[in-house]
Amino acid sequence: MAIRKIITTENPILRQKAKKVHRFDPSLPKLVEDMFETMREANGVGLAAPQIAQSIRVFVAEYEDRKVAIFNPEIVKAEGEEKGPEGCLSIPGYIGENIRRATRVVVKGQDVRGKAIRVNAEGWFARILQHEIDHLDGILFIDRLDSPEDLREVHEGDLEEGEPALVE
């Protein structure tokens, strides 16, 4: 396993639509493990392949007791709407307030072997999945700001103890 470099907004890969994975070869489990390790090292709760300069449709997410790696994800059902804060490992030092997301989603995709999977999520975990799928389409949370005033700078130590990490 290895920690990969997380790219930031200057890199054009973050703005490209990632390519669908058609061949599920033996390199993919290592990529997924590297992504989980990189995400945890950065104190994130999600990481999409474009964030480590791999323009393919896969992301990993881990929050509370939920842990997923989804290839070729697609939201097939979305219900409700809520506003909430989001951050991004590729946009360090900033948080977006009032980012609109569905409250509940159903995501279909494939696991690391190419087997079809379906994930039901609500609340914070649903927000994470939507954020990561946006990355695969070249969309960043800053594109979803209703107002420029909703973007604020944050510094280390701004989060209170026990507050979930806003970085995805």
Side-chain angles (χ1 to χ4, degrees):
M1 294 193 296
I3 304 291
R4 306 280 186 111
K5 179 181 177 354
I6 296 173
I7 63 174
T8 55
T9 53
E10 304 83 44
N11 193 313
I13 290 173
L14 286 176
R15 291 306 196 162
Q16 297 168 2
K17 186 172 173 92
K19 293 173 179 55
K20 188 171 182 176
V21 176
H22 295 286
R23 214 171 120 248
F24 288 82
D25 63 45
S27 70
L28 296 181
K30 181 182 181 342
L31 173 65
V32 165
E33 284 308 311
D34 287 355
M35 289 175 68
F36 273 118
E37 188 174 352
T38 301
M39 176 191 75
R40 289 180 190 125
E41 177 72 18
N43 296 314
V45 291
L47 185 71
Q51 292 180 274
I52 57 166
Q54 300 292 310
S55 190
I56 62 171
R57 297 188 75 78
V58 60
F59 72 83
V60 299
E62 185 172 33
Y63 180 67
E64 293 179 341
D65 62 341
R66 308 282 309 263
K67 177 181 172 181
V68 296
I70 305 177
F71 288 79
N72 305 320
E74 181 184 331
I75 297 172
V76 293
K77 186 175 184 182
E79 295 177 334
E81 182 183 270
E82 62 186 18
K83 290 181 177 184
E86 289 186 22
C88 183
L89 297 173
S90 293
I91 309 173
Y94 289 91
I95 295 293
E97 302 288 351
N98 303 312
I99 306 295
R100 294 175 198 269
R101 296 287 185 185
T103 308
R104 290 173 300 286
V105 294
V106 177
V107 176
K108 75 173 188 176
Q110 294 165 283
D111 69 11
V112 72
R113 293 174 303 285
K115 181 178 175 249
I117 57 172
R118 188 173 283 256
V119 176
N120 295 295
E122 60 182 84
W124 189 251
F125 195 59
R127 177 173 293 278
I128 295 165
L129 300 186
Q130 292 168 84
H131 177 107
E132 300 311 328
I133 290 170
D134 271 358
H135 273 300
L136 304 180
D137 292 325
I139 299 168
L140 302 174
F141 82 84
I142 54 177
D143 301 324
R144 295 194 175 276
L145 293 170
D146 285 342
S147 161
E149 290 78 37
D150 286 340
L151 185 65
R152 70 178 170 94
E153 196 168 354
V154 292
H155 305 282
E156 221 173 293
D158 280 357
L159 292 180
E160 294 183 23
E161 191 65 37
E163 187 177 355
L166 298 174
V167 175
E168 298 174 20

